[in-house]
């Protein structure tokens, strides 16, 4: 699954560490998601979309 987490995270001015804190995961998890090495759970995907203020459909794609 492809994602645009890094794009939207930097657009709103959050660091990886700040985003990780807001969604309750480690910075390493955010790094892995951004590098497409880890697909988040559905609940984490929705939380990321909520924090980044973007629809889940725009944030993740196949």
């Amino acid at each position: 699954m492809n994602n645009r987490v890094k794009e939207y995270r930097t657009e709103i001015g959050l660091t990886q560490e700040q985003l990780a804190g807001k969604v309750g995961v480690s910075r390493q998890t955010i790094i892995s998601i951004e590098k497409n090495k880890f697909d988040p759970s559905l609940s984490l995907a929705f939380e990321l979309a909520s924090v980044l203020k973007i629809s889940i459909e725009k944030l993740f794609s196949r």
Side-chain angles (χ1 to χ4, degrees):
M1 178 178 349
N2 296 319
N3 72 74
R4 297 169 73 187
V5 173
K6 183 176 183 178
E7 176 184 340
Y8 288 110
R9 175 183 60 76
T10 57
E11 189 174 294
I12 63 171
L14 288 177
T15 65
Q16 291 170 331
E17 191 168 341
Q18 290 169 327
L19 179 57
K22 289 180 180 286
V23 298
V25 298
S26 70
R27 182 176 156 267
Q28 284 302 118
T29 299
I30 298 300
I31 291 168
S32 294
I33 292 170
E34 289 183 353
K35 290 183 175 183
N36 289 314
K37 293 184 177 188
F38 174 74
D39 288 334
S41 66
L42 188 57
S43 62
L44 178 54
F46 274 107
E47 188 66 24
L48 286 166
S50 176
V51 169
L52 297 172
K53 297 176 174 71
I54 194 74
S55 71
I56 197 167
E57 294 86 3
K58 288 185 179 180
L59 191 56
F60 296 96
S61 64
R62 287 217 167 252

